[in-house]
Amino acid sequence: MRELVLKAENISKYYRLGLIGSSSLKQDLQNLFVKSRDGLTVEDPQHIWALKDVDFELHAGEVIGIVGRNGSGKSTLLKILSRIARPTTGSVRWKGKISSLLEIGTGFHAELTGRENIFLNGQILGLSNAEVKTRFDEIVAFSGIERFLDTPVKRYSSGMYVRLAFSVAAHLRSDILIIDEVLAVGDIEFQLKCIAKMKEISRLDGKAILFVSHDMQTIRNLCTTGIYLEKGRIKLIGDPPKAIAGYLNLDTQLSKHTYSSPHEAPGNSYIKIKRAELENSTIIHFEFWYTAEGNENLSIGIMLYNDLGQCVFDLASAPTRMENGLIKGACTLPENFLNEGQYVLSIAFIGDQSKLLFDFADCLNFNVQDNGKNLRWYGKRVGIVRPEFPIQLLNIDRDGAI
Amino acid sequence: MKQSAKLNTVNKWWQYETTASQKWFQFGLKDLYYNRGLILRFTRRDLLASYQQTVIGPFWIFLQPLLTALVYLIVFGRFAKMPTDGIPPILFYLAGSTIWSFFFDSLNGTMYTFISNTHIFNKVYFPRLVVPMSIILTQAVRLGIQLVLFALIYVFYYFIFHTASPSKILLLLPLLVLLTAGFAFGLGLLISIITAKYRDLDNILQFFLRLFMFATPVVYPASIIPDKYQALFWLNPLTPIIETFRAAFVENGKIPYYPLAIAGIEIFFLISLGLLLFKKRELDVMDSI
């Protein structure tokens, strides 16, 4: 068994929503009074458990990949592990040095030169002056921006900036590295270089890495363990493919929900789902019982995610005044629009364009097979969508040879 | 690290721990010592960056106090005819404004520790005390440069007009600088924690800070304060600091020992309270920014 380097026990984080920061003294005194009386047990609608009872261990040489949708608590978890925020309950214990890369180029100063910024950023990330000095040539070589070392970074292109910033980060040699989705920037070539570097750090140097990514490919290639977070809780922990499948909800094909009465249907006091069904992977049918509080306008939002967890689109219907009772709706996706692959969709019910009445999250999933049969091209194409917009060709001059 | 002390009895394995709340009286001095290089790095950054793309660059450090002293000389010396206790006016105003601006700039930097570094504090951990310490150090470097200017003007006066002979009191200068820095540091830590949470207090504080300058003998000598307010007036830690500095340039200048000692005690308590609150709350305030 490899050496245990970090143990998170029972960590939870409670956040206040809404008017963060602009709290007034009066409000705070009121809160103080409420808190001292009732503790944290009150389920205040203005508060949310961003993380709840999260437990895991990290060993030397291990790479843990965390997947989960936006708002599932990934960032909060990374913040707590990086010692930027405190957990509301529980504890994190570790040995050795933790470095966190929640962003690359933290603390870069636009007016200063690349050289100055290497030292500045390196030291902010926890290296000593001497350590930056000994790795300086390596950092510069990795970034490939030798010529611009004495130019202020505000004159850099965004690509150069990212390269320099990542090069500093790649030369950290902490026992535990905590990395947010920083790989999502930069060109493909540089991303591959970075992934290779991360492999080297974990496998050869035996450092532990914990990182968040929306790129399932990277998670599959790099991680030894996967964690799937949902609504602040660990839903699944284990082999990366398992966590990914759990996250994408692909274990079970869900293409139909039907409920005969409102009592057994999913939903709440506003919305009860009667039916949600997908026809031929193109038509989304849904029926629901609607109980409005007042004269609200209702609109429907449909969000579609692909198997990389990327949002393909976020549709919203025009707000309309609807009568209480059973309502039926449908949405037809055009044919020849989605690329091959797995998709998951959510249906949201919104009152007055601002109030989320109910989110029927990840309710349907489906698979798109290649249907571009008339094209002389086989295999999956790149791109999130694969529409068939016509491209017109026309001869305008027959004799105009080059 | 101090946190590990208790841990060792529970479990020898772990070195560090993060839990729901920070215990009192843990200053993380070892952690701070480990990050001493970062203090210097931030100081270097601030000094390098503040005069980028300016025409005369670091000469602004000289020019600012000189211009301020000249304005004071004209407004308060010539028009308002304030006495200067027998010190050449330009030296009198320069002494007051140099100490005051060191205090003001240091406080104005440290009190915004959280607000102006929210971005970095949300992304990386390092002992937050690094920031206010580097701000004080940056201002101390500027003060050092300004004191050179002060010395030059002084030497000029001494040899041309043969006035304002230096006294042994000048040897107290390092102590005076240290006291001023400590005052700004302690007060800054305290305010930084409070304003991070209650942003609207910031405007009131700015107003009081400006008023505070007139409660400090910057543009006038302490001797013009009516007797009945003298005791209160000398409770301001900056009063004995500036008065001592000025006393170095008059014949038979007297050191205000008592007020200076009281100022030392006040500053000591301010730093202790500031440190205590800062270390206790340094991570939690980020949740409310």
Side-chain angles (χ1 to χ4, degrees), chain A residues 325-340:
Chain A
L326 195 60
I327 297 172
K328 185 176 165 180
C331 174
T332 307
L333 303 180
E335 275 188 82
N336 293 323
F337 168 60
L338 293 172
N339 206 340
E340 262 183 88

Side-chain angles (χ1 to χ4, degrees), chain A residues 346-365:
Chain A
S346 302
I347 306 175
F349 300 82
I350 300 138
D352 279 341
Q353 288 169 280
S354 56
K355 193 167 132 200
L356 182 65
L357 301 175
F358 179 59
D359 184 11
F360 199 30
D362 312 331
C363 53
L364 297 170
N365 68 41

Side-chain angles (χ1 to χ4, degrees), chain A residues 3-7 13 15 20-25 28 79-80 82-97 100-103 106-107 109 111-112 116 119-120 123-129 131 152 154-155, chain B residues 1 3 7 10-11 13-23 31 34-38 41-42 44-46 48-49 52-53 119-126 128 196-201 279-280 282-284 286-289:
Chain A
E3 198 185 355
L4 181 63
V5 291
L6 182 143
K7 191 175 171 74
K13 180 78 183 174
Y15 269 123
I20 291 172
S22 56
S23 61
S24 71
L25 211 57
D28 244 50
K79 276 189 170 184
I80 290 173
S82 321
R83 281 199 282 175
I84 292 161
R86 281 179 195 293
T88 309
T89 68
S91 69
V92 185
R93 295 170 185 185
W94 69 96
K95 57 181 294 189
K97 199 169 129 191
S100 53
L101 291 170
L102 302 195
E103 172 195 66
T106 302
H109 198 293
E111 298 282 350
L112 300 183
E116 280 292 332
F119 278 93
L120 183 58
Q123 287 191 260
I124 287 177
L125 291 174
L127 295 174
S128 70
N129 199 33
E131 282 171 318
K154 65 176 173 185
R155 310 229 182 281
Chain B
M1 227 192 174
Q3 277 111 307
L7 269 181
V10 182
N11 191 340
W13 185 254
W14 304 110
Q15 294 173 326
Y16 307 103
E17 183 186 41
T18 307
T19 49
S21 73
Q22 174 71 30
K23 295 176 192 81
D31 208 9
Y34 180 84
N35 281 285
R36 64 197 183 280
L38 191 55
R41 180 59 59 184
F42 278 147
R44 185 183 158 94
R45 172 197 67 184
D46 292 342
L48 277 178
Q52 289 284 329
Q53 290 206 338
H119 184 74
I120 294 181
F121 287 1
N122 262 326
K123 298 293 177 192
V124 185
Y125 171 81
F126 50 81
R128 303 312 188 207
K197 190 121 202 256
Y198 308 107
R199 205 70 74 86
D200 26 5
L201 283 182
K279 284 307 290 183
K280 175 77 179 156
E282 61 179 348
L283 292 185
D284 305 283
M286 293 310 294
D287 286 348
S288 61
I289 281 189

Side-chain angles (χ1 to χ4, degrees), chain A residues 1-10 54-60 62-65 81 92-93 176 208-210 224-227 234 237, chain B residues 13-14:
Chain A
M1 193 65 194
R2 283 171 302 186
E3 198 185 355
L4 181 63
V5 291
L6 182 143
K7 191 175 171 74
E9 278 175 296
N10 221 0
V54 170
D55 276 285
F56 66 91
E57 288 178 349
L58 182 62
H59 299 86
E62 193 178 16
V63 183
I64 293 187
L81 296 174
V92 185
R93 295 170 185 185
I176 304 166
I209 300 179
L210 190 135
T224 53
T225 308
I227 290 181
I234 291 187
I237 179 163
Chain B
W13 185 254
W14 304 110

